[in-house]
Amino acid sequence: MLKVRFFSLIREALDCEELNLEFTTETVTIDDVKRRLSAQGGVDWQDVLMQPNVVHALNHRVVDSSQALSDGDEIAFFPPMTGG
Amino acid sequence: MSVLVQEQAFEVREQYEQVLSNSPGAALVAFTGYVRDICDYGVVEALELEHYPGMTEKVLDDIGMAAAQRFSLLGWRIVHRFGVLQEGEPIVWVGVAAAHRGEAFAGCQFIMDTLKTRAPFWKKEHLKEGGAIWVASKEQDEQREREWRDSTL
């Protein structure tokens, strides 16, 4: 199982804080997860997740969307950070 | 050498004394960031700060340790709030101790410039006249972080 979390503007736009996704041979990378969620959620999810400035984290580290996944991983999608 | 991420308000003086008492350095530089009263869209009533628990602490710790190594810091502390903050309240506090002022100034600035674009916090400004807007990331902040990456300082 993969745990998928959403923060800030993305959480609000999708109206979803987190969800679990079955880990399959079709979810090998974060790009695959984006494609699968877009297919499940429809155009609204696709519009949000495919924005070019979406940041991806894997197990609390920012990574490229081509990053390979393992069962049990936690993935997060969020906009560029604005702390400080 | 510590990170504090909390919802409740903090006393700037206590943070300062914490670094001072734990670090034998001859130079101490501290920065405090406060909730501003005006933003691009009007008068700010409150600032809401969302963060990613677990990742936030890890990233701030990485930034502090990188600063300590790069600028030979003898001590450092990062305090950052989340939740709803009122205008004028402290949001973030960074304090560093070093043997000399050059390292202390540079270390403190490195931590602030890096955490602005790398620590998973997101600000939402609630306006006095109603409505709320997520703060957009600034190219200027990205540029500052890139400059540290390219710098040999």
Side-chain angles (χ1 to χ4, degrees):
Chain A
M1 198 67 82
L2 298 167
K3 187 175 186 180
V4 188
R5 304 183 66 176
F6 307 99
F7 290 94
S8 176
L9 200 55
I10 294 182
R11 173 181 52 75
E12 283 187 350
L14 300 177
D15 194 21
C16 180
E17 211 163 295
E18 66 175 70
L19 54 84
N20 290 316
L21 206 60
E22 202 185 337
F23 181 74
T24 69
T25 50
E26 286 170 9
T27 45
V28 176
T29 67
I30 291 182
D31 278 327
D32 294 334
V33 170
K34 286 165 82 170
R35 274 192 287 272
R36 202 167 136 196
L37 290 175
S38 297
Q40 280 178 12
V43 176
D44 290 351
W45 280 61
Q46 186 175 343
D47 285 350
V48 173
L49 295 176
M50 297 301 178
Q51 284 175 50
N53 67 346
V54 172
V55 183
H56 325 93
L58 172 63
N59 300 328
H60 298 158
R61 298 267 176 218
V62 170
V63 293
D64 191 82
S65 62
S66 61
Q67 179 73 43
L69 303 172
S70 304
D71 199 7
D73 279 345
E74 179 173 309
I75 305 155
F77 296 98
F78 44 79
M81 296 159 260
T82 55
Chain B
M1 319 257 181
S2 55
V3 166
L4 199 59
V5 179
Q6 62 179 33
E7 189 164 7
Q8 62 269 39
F10 61 83
E11 283 292 329
V12 167
R13 192 181 182 85
E14 281 174 23
Q15 309 311 318
Y16 195 92
E17 282 167 3
Q18 180 91 8
V19 174
L20 199 60
S21 61
N22 291 331
S23 307
L28 198 160
V29 169
F31 171 85
T32 313
Y34 295 89
V35 178
R36 65 181 75 246
D37 57 348
I38 303 277
C39 71
D40 294 343
Y41 302 97
V43 180
V44 177
E45 186 168 64
L47 182 73
E48 189 181 340
L49 264 157
E50 182 172 336
H51 82 119
Y52 185 173
M55 179 170 172
T56 308
E57 294 82 354
K58 201 182 282 185
V59 171
L60 292 178
D61 200 51
D62 285 351
I63 294 170
M65 286 198 291
Q69 192 174 15
R70 186 164 171 172
F71 302 102
S72 305
L73 301 182
L74 300 166
W76 58 270
R77 184 169 171 83
I78 304 172
V79 183
H80 206 302
R81 286 183 68 192
F82 63 91
V84 178
L85 285 73
Q86 304 305 312
E87 184 246 307
E89 286 188 47
I91 307 169
V92 59
W93 188 88
V94 172
V96 308
H100 304 282
R101 72 180 185 282
E103 290 134 358
F105 276 120
C108 189
Q109 189 164 3
F110 169 87
I111 291 175
M112 271 313 300
D113 288 348
T114 310
L115 80 76
K116 279 194 90 75
T117 57
R118 299 254 308 275
F121 285 100
W122 302 275
K123 287 192 188 115
K124 192 181 204 179
E125 287 167 330
H126 291 262
L127 305 175
K128 269 214 165 78
E129 50 267 47
I133 295 150
W134 286 103
V135 173
S137 63
K138 296 183 178 69
E139 172 51 32
Q140 185 189 344
D141 290 336
E142 303 279 347
Q143 179 63 30
R144 280 178 190 272
E145 201 259 338
R146 275 198 298 275
E147 281 169 8
W148 281 113
R149 264 187 279 159
D150 298 338
S151 159
T152 53
L153 194 74

